[in-house]
Every structure is written in C-alpha cells, then in structure tokens.
Amino acid sequence: MRVETVRFGTLEVADDQIFTFPMGLLGFANHKEFLIVDHTHESPFKWMQSCEDPELAFILTDPLFFRADYHIAARKGELQIIDPSNELDLVVSVIMTVPDDPKDMSANLLAPLVFNMANRRGMQYVLTNNRYPVKYYVMREKDPSVVDPTNSVEPRSISLR
Amino acid sequence: MLTLTRKIGESVCIGDDIRVVVKEVKGKQVRLGIVAPRDIYVCREELYRKIHQANIGATSTDVNILDSISNLFGDKKRAKGGNSNES
C-alpha cells in the first residue's frame, strides 16, 4: 500500500503495517487507517500517520515512559471494537501535544489509544474516572513512581476487568 | 433544534441504529440510556469537547519537533535502560 505524507514523502508499506481504527479518533471519525512510524530507534516517540490525509499525523509515546504507574482497567465490552480476546496483545499509547516551546509538551492521559497487536486494530479509549488529565505536562510533573530495574515483571498499562 | 417531550421509559430514535431512552428523572437531573453501534463514540459533551480539542491541538506538529523532544528525554531514557516497547 502506498501512503502519501507531507512529512516523510510517499511511503510504500505492507498492509500488515497499517492499524485500523474502526471508530476513527474523536474529531477525526473519517480517518480509519494509520501507519505507525518510529522516529528513530532510540527515540521513545513515534509518528502515527493517517493513510487518508497526508497532513494528519500524531506523536505517540508509551505512557509508562514518564508515568510508571499509569494504568487503565477497561471493561472488555468497552474495547469490543478492537476484539480484545487476549489482554497481552493490548498496547497503550498516548498522544503528545508539542507547542512551540517543546518543554511545554503534554500527553493526553485522559484518552489514550489502545491497540490490539493481534489484529492491528486501534481505538481511542475515553477514561471516565477523571484520574488522569487531558494535558499532562511531562516536563513539569515529577514522576510519582520510580521504576525498579530489578523488577522482572514488565509493567502493564492496561488490564481487562 | 428538534425538541421532543418523552415520559420515563420512552425513547427517541436517531436513524436506524441509535436509540436514547429516558431512564429516570430526579429534580433537575435526567438519566439517559443510549443504544448505539459500537463504532460510535458516546460520552458526555464536556468530555467529548475536551478530547476533541486535544486531538485537534495535537496535530499541528512539524517533523523536526520530534528531534528536540527526543533530546529532552535522552538522559531519562538511558536511565531506564533504553528499551523501546512496541508502540
């Protein structure tokens, strides 16, 4: 599949590199297909590029990168559109907003993206418990929890209930 | 705006797929039940607007900005062992 982008030119990508968002994103209901592009190998950030609009791209990152305690407990039914049969297939990313001064960048912890890596479907999951802000200023907040490097259990940012 | 009067237990249909039921009326509060296809977002308006606005605000980014924010995080990343998980 050929994806036109203003940032990276024309990309030739395999169909299995595409993620389908059956609901789109809030405000972008008509954008159903996105490509996820690593920024660099070392960078914790990724681009999520619309396959339908060359100009539309979001910056994503793993919320655990700056909030090691970030966790959402979703009901299976709420994620039905991405068919979450196995919790371990689910991966959570958050959308970054980067203003002119990058130090003011924020992460949307209120409405994370949930991906099912098994079927490459994604959705924006809206948290209703108000536990996390829509703008989490990652450079200003102190990470409330410290990641223990000796902890062999990979922290999971999502569980099904 | 179309305005309809309904009793408790009665519904309004929006197209073939969406039904809004009046469940309960208590003083100034109304509880609504919503039946809609799974590929439609249903949430309170304030929340919807907040997230809608955040999504739109998140799109205006040029390609170089990622270099600058990645650099801001360089030290932290190394401290965490530098493993990058999928997505």
Side-chain angles (χ1 to χ4, degrees):
Chain A
M1 178 175 181
R2 192 173 271 247
V3 180
E4 308 280 344
T5 78
V6 293
R7 290 172 189 79
F8 321 107
T10 304
L11 301 174
E12 192 64 51
V13 295
D15 285 351
D16 64 5
Q17 286 182 271
I18 307 284
F19 283 90
T20 304
F21 279 65
M23 307 163 80
L25 271 70
L26 264 80
F28 299 94
N30 296 328
H31 294 80
K32 311 270 192 203
E33 296 205 312
F34 289 89
L35 174 67
I36 296 190
V37 185
D38 277 326
H39 173 49
T40 63
H41 191 61
E42 289 81 35
S43 172
F45 301 102
K46 291 166 193 285
W47 286 105
M48 187 170 84
Q49 165 72 48
S50 165
C51 299
E52 289 121 331
D53 180 351
E55 291 198 20
L56 183 63
F58 297 94
I59 295 171
L60 305 187
T61 195
D62 180 346
L64 297 177
F65 180 57
F66 47 79
R67 270 294 293 259
D69 66 334
Y70 186 78
H71 191 84
I72 58 179
R75 273 185 284 121
K76 226 174 177 176
E78 296 174 306
L79 303 179
Q80 197 147 22
I81 199 83
I82 61 167
D83 190 18
S85 40
N86 185 354
E87 189 179 296
L88 295 177
D89 290 331
L90 303 180
V91 169
V92 177
S93 289
V94 290
I95 300 178
M96 302 294 301
T97 299
V98 186
D100 290 340
D101 183 353
K103 288 202 177 70
D104 291 332
M105 71 174 126
S106 61
N108 179 352
L109 301 188
L110 181 67
L113 305 183
V114 181
F115 296 93
N116 183 347
M117 303 310 282
N119 57 20
R120 307 193 73 79
R121 284 179 169 220
M123 68 175 288
Q124 188 163 29
Y125 178 76
V126 180
L127 292 164
T128 49
N129 58 13
N130 270 326
R131 209 177 136 198
Y132 297 110
V134 72
K135 275 183 186 276
Y136 179 82
Y137 293 97
V138 299
M139 303 303 287
R140 293 184 212 161
E141 308 272 351
K142 277 233 160 57
D143 191 339
S145 49
V146 177
V147 180
D148 178 3
T150 60
N151 187 352
S152 59
V153 182
E154 184 87 358
R156 299 270 310 154
S157 48
I158 186 166
S159 59
L160 297 176
R161 61 187 157 97
Chain B
M1 187 191 291
L2 172 68
T3 307
L4 302 167
T5 304
R6 302 273 58 201
K7 293 188 179 122
I8 292 166
E10 292 181 340
S11 311
V12 171
C13 289
I14 303 171
D16 291 339
D17 301 329
I18 301 173
R19 195 160 64 92
V20 181
V21 192
V22 181
K23 306 275 282 188
E24 193 185 323
V25 181
K26 234 197 299 188
K28 286 191 169 181
Q29 284 196 314
V30 182
R31 278 172 72 83
L32 302 173
I34 296 128
V35 184
R38 296 194 194 285
D39 58 353
I40 289 180
Y41 285 105
V42 178
C43 65
R44 294 181 177 89
E45 182 179 2
E46 312 85 86
L47 197 55
Y48 178 84
R49 289 196 186 280
K50 210 179 193 178
I51 295 162
H52 183 276
Q53 215 172 13
N55 282 349
I56 287 172
T59 60
S60 50
T61 323
D62 76 88
V63 73
N64 297 319
I65 207 96
L66 264 190
D67 287 325
S68 38
I69 63 172
S70 297
N71 291 340
L72 285 175
F73 273 101
D75 292 339
K76 190 169 180 181
K77 177 130 191 88
R78 273 193 293 279
K80 278 198 178 180
N83 56 330
S84 68
N85 294 327
E86 186 125 31
S87 124

